[in-house]
């Protein structure tokens, strides 16, 4: 089994990455995690999803 973590700070780019991996046979593993990260007074939203694929 292969394991991959997909992460992006842009919702639509994140969605494109997930859909591309779906087309390659990957499956969602767990739930999508959304984190707010603060730096220099600016908040950034990061989307993270774990995925798995059978060998």
């Amino acid at each position: 089994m292969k394991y991959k973590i997909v992460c992006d700070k842009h919702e639509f780019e994140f969605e494109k990455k997930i859909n591309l991996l779906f087309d390659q046979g990957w499956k969602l593993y767990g739930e999508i995690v959304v984190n707010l990260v603060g730096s220099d007074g600016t908040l950034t939203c990061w989307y993270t999803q774990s995925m798995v694929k059978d060998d």
Side-chain angles (χ1 to χ4, degrees):
M1 181 173 286
K2 295 179 182 178
Y3 179 80
K4 183 177 288 223
I5 297 174
V6 180
C7 187
D8 204 295
K9 64 180 180 178
H10 301 286
E11 180 181 358
F12 296 112
E13 291 301 316
F14 176 75
E15 185 178 346
K16 285 180 190 177
K17 290 178 183 179
I18 295 291
N19 286 331
L20 178 64
L21 290 170
F22 276 148
D23 291 343
Q24 297 173 2
W26 290 82
K27 298 177 184 177
L28 297 177
Y29 182 76
E31 298 179 359
I32 294 174
V33 177
V34 181
N35 291 300
L36 289 175
V37 179
S39 176
D40 297 326
T42 303
L43 282 178
T44 304
C45 189
W46 281 94
Y47 301 88
T48 307
Q49 174 65 55
S50 299
M51 300 187 79
V52 293
K53 181 178 180 181
D54 293 328
D55 290 339

